[in-house]
């Protein structure tokens, strides 16, 4: 069959990357979000420090007319969150003490976490880094040069973790530059990417991004972040499938949260839905006690009850590790 010359031209020029426009065009205003969902917007709580931010693609997975929608509750600012609660702090896990070099957190042996950017496509109200002073800490060319020297000098680091913020907020070109530089460090044997982007904005998984991952010589682990089965849809499935076909192992980390996923059915469905998208569970985190997030906390007793429920109902490989991160600990502590 003759090829349509137009379609050839189209495949030769790289497709335009629409995801940035989607980040910019997302909801920024609680009243607009609520009215879009058919909800009363009597409460329009702004949090100037950490404002509402959410792409349309994620909003489309929320149920209209449901003030208890588990996706909405993750992103909607609450009047209580600017008040202080005892035990909740700005830096709950000691990130600032773990800085080892500019843009690097080296808290656990063998693994170095790179703060690639402070930006995310979504603002999750429970985010433990919502108060993190990113401006002085993320990758810039000068800091990256120093960070590389640090990595080069530590022969115990064999895994680099791109985190942030969300590393997939960087351009693919920037990501490729980072991994080109890492390729000069012989001790690095694995790359891990912590990102919520394939879930909140699956269009970020572009052909260009897939080319970059395919070209990488390092074994890759991509840890996505979904807290509820309803966060998956056909576009997310496709994005995850494409990431997997680049050779990445896919894991999911979730945060256990009151009213969002603190019941057995929701957790079970999350693990099963993830599996059908090619993702195995990794951590189920007890909430990091970051200022502003108290409403999400689940007691350890309830958390244990839920995890035991999962053990009774799912194969072992679909049961996440229930953990809590604590400062000055050599790993994320199992909640036993
Ligand atoms: C969570 C975290 C890691 C990764 O820990 P794993 O248990 O390997 O998933 C690495 N560095 C820092 C600073 C972290 O917070
Ligand atoms: S995507 Fe991750 S880093 Fe970004 S706001 Fe949500 S929890 Fe925080």
């Amino acid at each position: 069959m003759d090829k349509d010359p137009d379609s050839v031209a189209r495949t030769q020029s790289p497709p335009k990357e629409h995801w940035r426009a989607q980040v910019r065009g997302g909801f920024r205003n609680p009243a607009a979000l609520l009215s879009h969902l058919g909800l009363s917007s009597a409460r329009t709580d702004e949090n100037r420090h950490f404002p509402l931010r959410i792409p349309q693609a994620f909003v489309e997975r929320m149920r209209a007319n449901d003030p208890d929608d588990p996706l909405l509750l993750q992103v909607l600012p609450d009047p209580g969150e600017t008040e202080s609660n005892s035990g909740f702090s700005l830096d709950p896990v000691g990130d600032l003490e773990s800085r080892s070099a500019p843009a690097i957190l080296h808290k656990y042996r063998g693994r170095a976490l790179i703060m690639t950017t402070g930006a995310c496509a979504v603002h999750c109200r429970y985010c433990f880094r919502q108060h993190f002073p990113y401006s002085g800490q993320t990758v810039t060319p000068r800091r990256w040069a120093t960070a590389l020297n640090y990595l080069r000098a530590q022969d115990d680091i064999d895994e680099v973790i791109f985190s942030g913020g969300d590393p997939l907020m960087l351009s693919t070109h920037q990501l490729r530059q980072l991994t080109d530089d890492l390729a000069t460090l012989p001790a690095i044997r694995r790359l891990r990417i912590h990102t919520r982007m394939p879930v909140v904005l699956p269009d970020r998984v572009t052909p260009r991004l897939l080319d970059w991952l395919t070209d990488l010589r390092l074994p890759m682990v991509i840890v996505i972040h979904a807290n509820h089965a309803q966060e998956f849809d056909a576009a997310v499935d496709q994005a995850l499938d494409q990431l997997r076909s680049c050779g990445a192992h896919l894991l999911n980390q979730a945060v256990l949260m009151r009213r969002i996923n603190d019941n057995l059915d929701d957790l079970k469905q999350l693990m099963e839905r993830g599996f059908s998208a090619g993702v195995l569970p990794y951590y189920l985190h007890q909430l990091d006690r970051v200022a502003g997030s108290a409403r999400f906390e689940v007691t350890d007793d309830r958390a244990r009850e839920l995890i035991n429920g999962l053990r009774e109902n799912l194969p072992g490989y679909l049961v996440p590790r229930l953990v809590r991160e604590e400062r000055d600990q050599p790993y994320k502590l199992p909640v036993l």
Side-chain angles (χ1 to χ4, degrees):
M1 209 204 296
D2 281 338
K3 277 206 169 149
D4 164 8
D6 273 328
S7 82
V8 172
R10 272 202 300 275
T11 54
Q12 278 171 350
S13 59
K16 258 221 166 320
E17 304 219 325
H18 292 299
W19 64 273
R20 281 216 191 270
Q22 292 186 53
V23 170
R24 279 194 302 272
F27 283 90
R28 303 287 178 125
N29 177 303
L33 174 63
L34 290 171
S35 100
H36 177 83
L37 294 168
L39 294 168
S40 117
S41 51
R43 277 187 26 201
T44 51
D45 309 300
E46 298 277 3
N47 174 342
R48 265 191 220 142
H49 161 71
F50 191 56
L52 180 131
R53 169 180 266 216
I54 178 73
Q56 178 81 32
F58 194 75
V59 173
E60 280 163 14
R61 286 166 254 161
M62 296 177 183
R63 285 187 301 257
N65 307 309
D66 182 359
D68 295 323
D69 180 86
L71 278 55
L72 176 65
L73 293 178
Q74 292 181 46
V75 300
L76 189 67
D78 181 89
E81 67 188 34
T82 48
E83 294 158 17
S84 64
N85 289 85
S86 78
F88 286 74
S89 65
L90 297 180
D91 182 19
V93 301
D95 268 346
L96 286 171
E97 302 150 23
S98 310
R99 274 173 308 171
S100 309
I104 291 194
L105 301 182
H106 184 188
K107 187 169 177 178
Y108 302 135
R109 193 173 300 157
R111 290 146 286 167
L113 184 149
I114 314 284
M115 309 285 266
T116 52
T117 168
C120 289
V122 58
H123 284 172
C124 311
R125 305 320 300 173
Y126 53 86
C127 178
F128 74 108
R129 290 209 183 108
Q130 62 184 272
H131 301 284
F132 195 80
Y134 283 113
S135 57
Q137 310 297 340
T138 57
V139 168
T140 59
R142 196 156 55 94
R143 289 195 203 119
W144 180 237
T146 318
L148 278 171
N149 284 336
Y150 177 81
L151 293 175
R152 201 172 279 121
Q154 308 285 311
D155 46 17
D156 82 305
I157 296 178
D158 60 7
E159 174 167 338
V160 165
I161 303 172
F162 284 178
S163 182
D166 197 313
L168 297 193
M169 287 292 279
L170 296 186
S171 71
T172 307
H173 178 71
Q174 287 171 305
L175 291 166
R176 193 183 275 275
Q177 285 182 322
L178 297 183
T179 53
D180 282 353
D181 289 337
L182 289 176
T184 65
L185 308 181
I188 307 296
R189 292 190 299 186
R190 286 186 300 281
L191 175 70
R192 194 191 321 179
I193 303 174
H194 281 182
T195 174
R196 190 145 159 71
M197 206 69 128
V199 171
V200 295
L201 188 50
D203 281 357
R204 173 64 186 97
V205 180
T206 59
R208 217 178 292 173
L209 185 85
L210 295 167
D211 284 346
W212 164 61
L213 292 172
T214 306
D215 292 346
L216 272 182
R217 282 200 215 100
L218 290 172
M220 289 172 277
V221 178
I222 299 180
V223 182
I224 65 160
H225 174 178
N227 300 308
H228 196 280
Q230 200 182 313
E231 291 172 52
F232 292 82
D233 67 4
V236 174
D237 284 342
Q238 192 193 7
L240 295 172
D241 198 48
Q242 289 171 324
L243 292 171
R244 228 152 31 106
S245 31
C246 300
H249 300 275
L250 301 186
L251 301 172
N252 181 48
Q253 54 181 341
V255 180
L256 181 60
M257 284 180 283
R258 205 157 72 83
R259 293 177 70 202
I260 292 173
N261 57 13
D262 63 335
N263 69 79
L264 189 54
D265 273 350
D266 282 341
L267 287 175
K268 192 165 164 274
Q269 280 170 30
L270 171 63
M271 305 312 153
E272 284 173 341
R273 187 62 185 82
F275 182 76
S276 71
V279 185
L280 290 176
Y282 186 38
Y283 287 137
L284 178 63
H285 293 269
Q286 267 293 43
L287 187 77
D288 295 316
R289 304 187 92 195
V290 66
S293 70
R295 67 188 179 282
F296 295 115
E297 195 164 51
V298 175
T299 64
D300 279 2
D301 280 348
R302 178 68 180 143
R304 281 189 283 262
E305 192 182 344
L306 288 166
I307 210 81
N308 286 332
L310 289 179
R311 289 190 180 112
E312 285 167 11
N313 283 281
L314 290 174
Y317 57 85
L318 291 187
V319 180
R321 303 156 179 82
L322 178 67
V323 292
R324 166 177 287 114
E325 181 160 356
E326 287 190 19
R327 64 182 66 225
D328 303 327
Q329 293 296 327
Y331 46 84
K332 300 192 204 293
L333 296 182
V335 177
L336 296 171

